[in-house]
């Protein structure tokens, strides 16, 4: 059977198979595409085909091949096409594949390319990795792209993070001998219902629950220690955004440290996560021990400090010293959290031996999504067990 697909009945099934199989005599459909379907197929063929063709050629099913050309205009046209034919989530995947499969990173150094792309976390990571070789004419456009992604992430994450952590801070600050004005009557009554006297229609409180007086003072110190090796790009983006959100809370003193084989303190840039991101340098080696040594030197209130290490744990420094530092911080009262990733993609490749060693010290290492991060921080602030995802159960009990 041969013919043109009209999009109804049996032809609709053939159309779907034709789009999946990519055309050619071997696909068994014997059908060709027209109109929008042909244009969609051409965009897919340019990226996922098997040979070389010009980006302007239509996908007719014959000689399914690949190639976006070597020029920015060709790629920009292709980017426009996929944004026309596919939803944003699919566009982001296709852009990522184009960068990985066809080596288009260098074209992102051109402003017209950046204006054409669909901005997302992975694109920001790619731009940050190119930061040092980016020409001045492109940097302003790149910052605008990064700013858009960061602003979108802050809108998505900030409100819930502040609400969750404010509640955790209030709970951790409750005292059992409050002054009269500081009594939390709702919780006090609920805690003493067993002492209700029916004849007097009243509750006799044996234990008062209240809030600490220093509601506006710094209650917790948080240190975000971020591995900026190339594999951690998405985690760096999310951690920078969360760092800015935490820094905006008066009751939390936030420090943000990034590291490879060197250590850089970016705390003074936390008011603008875009500045933080452009202050990082993705790639290079890893010296977790050196980074933790610096973080340890900045701790002045161990019992009120949470240290969050975000790293795949591939240590290029002194392993035993790294573990000793973690043990020493925990012994002093520091709440230590180890995240293998802070992203939506799940756990990356990581050093399982080091993860197991941290778990043995009572610091389970697990991948954390941005949506879970506020709950993890709340648990650390309240000094209760962390909400470790089930996938990381093996790391808690190696």
């Amino acid at each position: 059977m041969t013919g043109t697909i009209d999009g109804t009945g049996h032809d609709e099934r053939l159309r779907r198979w034709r789009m999946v199989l990519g055309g050619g005599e071997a696909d068994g459909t014997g059908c060709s595409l027209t109109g929008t379907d042909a244009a969609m197929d051409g965009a897919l063929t340019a990226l996922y085909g098997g040979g070389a063709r010009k980006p302007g050629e239509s996908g007719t099913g014959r000689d399914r091949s690949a190639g976006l050309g070597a020029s920015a205009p060709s790629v920009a046209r292709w980017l426009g096409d996929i944004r026309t034919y596919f939803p944003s989530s699919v566009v982001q995947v296709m852009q990522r594949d184009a960068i990985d499969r066809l080596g288009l990173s260098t074209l992102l150094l051109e402003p017209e390319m950046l204006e054409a792309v669909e901005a997302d976390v992975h694109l920001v990571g790619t731009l940050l990795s190119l930061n040092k070789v980016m020409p001045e004419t492109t940097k302003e456009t790149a910052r605008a792209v990064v700013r858009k992604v960061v602003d979108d992430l802050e809108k998505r994450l900030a409100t819930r993070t502040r609400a969750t952590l404010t509640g955790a801070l209030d709970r951790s600050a409750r005292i059992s001998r409050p002054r009269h004005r500081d009594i939390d009557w709702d919780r006090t009554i609920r805690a003493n219902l067993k002492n209700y006297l029916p004849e007097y229609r009243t509750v006799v409180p044996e234990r008062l629950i209240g809030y600490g007086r220093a509601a506006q003072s710094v209650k917790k110190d948080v240190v975000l220690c971020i591995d900026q090796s190339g594999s951690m790009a998405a985690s760096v983006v999310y951690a920078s955004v969360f760092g800015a959100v935490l820094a905006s809370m008066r009751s939390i003193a936030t420090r943000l440290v990034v590291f490879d084989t060197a250590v850089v303190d970016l705390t003074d840039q936390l008011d603008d996560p875009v500045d933080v991101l452009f202050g990082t340098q993705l790639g290079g080696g890893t010296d977790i021990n050196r980074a933790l040594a610096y973080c340890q030197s900045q701790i002045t209130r161990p019992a009120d400090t949470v240290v969050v290490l975000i790293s795949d744990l591939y240590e290029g420094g002194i392993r035993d010293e790294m573990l000793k530092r973690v043990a020493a911080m925990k012994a002093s009262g520091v709440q230590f959290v180890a995240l293998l990733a802070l992203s939506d993609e799940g756990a990356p490749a990581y050093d399982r031996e080091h993860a197991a060693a941290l778990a043995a010290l009572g610091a389970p290492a697990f991948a954390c999504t941005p949506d879970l991060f506020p709950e993890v921080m709340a648990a650390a602030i309240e000094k209760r067990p962390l909400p470790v995802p089930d996938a990381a159960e093996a790391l808690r009990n190696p």
Side-chain angles (χ1 to χ4, degrees), residues 65-354:
S65 54
L68 293 177
S71 69
S74 296
V75 179
R77 283 194 298 272
W78 178 79
L79 288 168
D81 288 344
I82 64 174
R83 292 175 72 173
T84 298
Y85 301 126
F86 302 100
S88 177
S89 58
V90 175
V91 170
Q92 292 172 8
V93 172
M94 293 179 72
Q95 285 179 173
R96 202 180 317 158
D97 287 346
I99 291 169
D100 293 341
R101 292 164 61 97
L102 304 178
L104 301 182
S105 296
T106 54
L107 290 180
L108 292 177
L109 300 179
E110 302 185 28
E112 61 268 28
M113 273 290 294
L114 289 179
E115 292 171 356
V117 294
E118 184 83 17
D120 69 342
V121 169
H122 298 281
L123 178 64
V124 170
T126 301
L127 291 178
L128 296 178
S129 69
L130 298 171
N131 184 29
K132 300 304 178 184
V133 297
M134 190 176 293
E136 290 299 324
T137 54
T138 305
K139 286 189 175 181
E140 184 176 347
T141 306
R143 286 185 71 90
V145 171
V146 174
R147 173 74 62 192
K148 180 181 183 302
V149 174
V150 166
D151 288 348
D152 289 346
L153 290 178
E154 280 197 286
K155 289 176 184 176
R156 167 189 158 193
L157 302 171
T159 300
R160 180 166 173 266
T161 299
R162 292 192 185 101
T164 301
L165 297 191
T166 297
L169 289 163
D170 286 345
R171 288 188 293 272
S172 67
R174 287 198 180 96
I175 55 178
S176 59
R177 294 168 131 192
R179 299 180 184 183
H180 185 272
R181 72 179 73 179
D182 299 323
I183 295 174
D184 182 341
W185 287 108
D186 181 62
R187 290 181 176 273
T188 295
I189 290 171
R190 279 190 283 165
N192 290 278
L193 285 176
K194 63 181 179 180
N195 300 319
Y196 177 68
L197 300 178
E199 61 273 26
Y200 295 102
R201 300 179 65 186
T202 190
V203 171
V204 178
E206 291 182 349
R207 182 169 63 93
L208 299 176
I209 300 173
Y211 297 99
R213 295 297 306 279
Q216 297 301 318
S217 63
V218 173
K219 297 175 183 176
K220 292 290 180 180
D221 296 334
V222 173
V223 181
L224 299 178
C225 186
I226 309 168
D227 182 345
Q228 60 177 352
S229 57
S231 61
M232 303 297 293
S235 298
V236 171
V237 176
Y238 279 115
S240 299
V241 172
F242 276 118
V245 173
L246 296 178
S248 71
M249 301 177 65
R250 292 183 181 180
S251 51
I252 296 177
T254 305
R255 183 173 295 276
L256 189 143
V257 177
V258 298
F259 68 92
D260 41 34
T261 54
V263 179
V264 180
D265 192 327
L266 297 176
T267 302
D268 60 350
Q269 299 179 35
L270 270 175
D271 59 329
D272 188 345
V274 175
D275 286 342
V276 170
L277 289 171
F278 277 94
T280 63
Q281 183 173 342
L282 292 176
T286 307
D287 193 336
I288 303 173
N289 178 55
R290 175 178 289 187
L292 291 181
Y294 175 80
C295 294
Q296 191 177 23
S297 72
Q298 302 300 305
I299 296 173
T300 57
R301 305 188 305 152
D304 293 312
T305 299
V306 178
V307 174
V308 183
L309 172 66
I310 303 174
S311 173
D312 54 16
L313 301 180
Y314 285 111
E315 171 64 314
I318 306 173
R319 174 185 184 274
D320 291 342
E321 288 296 318
M322 175 191 75
L323 296 175
K324 287 179 181 178
R325 290 191 191 283
V326 175
M329 282 190 276
K330 288 186 62 65
S332 69
V334 171
Q335 296 297 110
F336 190 89
V337 179
L339 301 181
L340 301 170
L342 178 56
S343 68
D344 292 305
E345 277 68 47
Y350 63 93
D351 190 307
R352 294 182 177 274
E353 183 179 351
H354 288 166

Side-chain angles (χ1 to χ4, degrees), residues 33-58:
L33 303 175
T34 61
T36 300
D37 286 345
M40 291 173 65
D41 187 64
L44 291 167
T45 298
L47 176 58
Y48 298 112
R53 56 174 286 223
K54 297 178 182 179
E57 293 177 355
S58 63

